[in-house]
Amino acid sequence: QVHLVESGGGLVQPGSSLRLSCAASGLSFSSGAVGWFRQAPGKEREFVAAIRYNSVTYYGDSVKGRFTISRDKAKLTSTLQMNTLEPEDTGVYYCVADPRIILSSLFEARRWSYWGQGTQVTVSA
């Protein structure tokens, strides 16, 4: 049984920072990738970031330079450090994982096998 649990969401002001964490169980980080998607109300899920088993990272264009993804293989956790947050960053953030996902599939939500329940991030003055 694979379980992903996000934490760290909340309400913050524009320009501030927030750190999200994802605790995983039932899998390892030795293959595939872990990552993050987000979804605003009424919108499609958007790729945010991913890190593959080889430690190579990938970011969506809207967050590149502001967000950083990392992972701890021993603790089976992944972290999304979000800086210089904007109102457009508001949404539910989902932790995702897949030990079999390939590079070309990272950016498509439907290709990821395991999803967390989501954590709300609201950026507002």
Side-chain angles (χ1 to χ4, degrees):
Q1 302 89 294
V2 175
H3 298 280
L4 303 175
V5 181
E6 304 94 334
S7 63
L11 173 63
V12 297
Q13 295 185 334
S16 62
S17 298
L18 199 61
R19 182 178 298 164
L20 306 182
S21 296
C22 176
S25 63
L27 52 76
S28 71
F29 291 174
S30 61
S31 64
V34 296
W36 294 85
F37 281 78
R38 67 186 183 187
Q39 185 171 28
K43 298 183 179 179
E44 296 294 318
R45 291 187 178 183
E46 176 188 17
F47 175 77
V48 176
I51 181 168
R52 295 180 71 204
Y53 68 95
N54 60 2
S55 298
V56 177
T57 57
Y58 303 85
Y59 297 94
D61 290 340
S62 63
V63 307
K64 192 171 299 182
R66 299 187 297 120
F67 290 11
T68 303
I69 187 172
S70 61
R71 51 93 170 92
D72 187 320
K73 292 184 177 181
K75 296 181 179 180
L76 296 179
T77 58
S78 63
T79 299
L80 184 68
Q81 177 66 45
M82 306 184 294
N83 297 327
T84 319
L85 285 163
E86 306 167 350
E88 293 74 20
D89 296 316
T90 294
V92 177
Y93 283 68
Y94 297 91
C95 176
V96 295
D98 196 324
R100 299 294 304 277
I101 197 165
I102 60 176
L103 175 59
S104 60
S105 298
L106 291 178
F107 317 104
E108 303 176 28
R110 62 186 179 183
R111 303 304 295 269
W112 291 81
S113 296
Y114 305 109
W115 291 71
Q117 83 289 345
T119 185
Q120 177 70 43
V121 173
T122 302
V123 185
S124 176

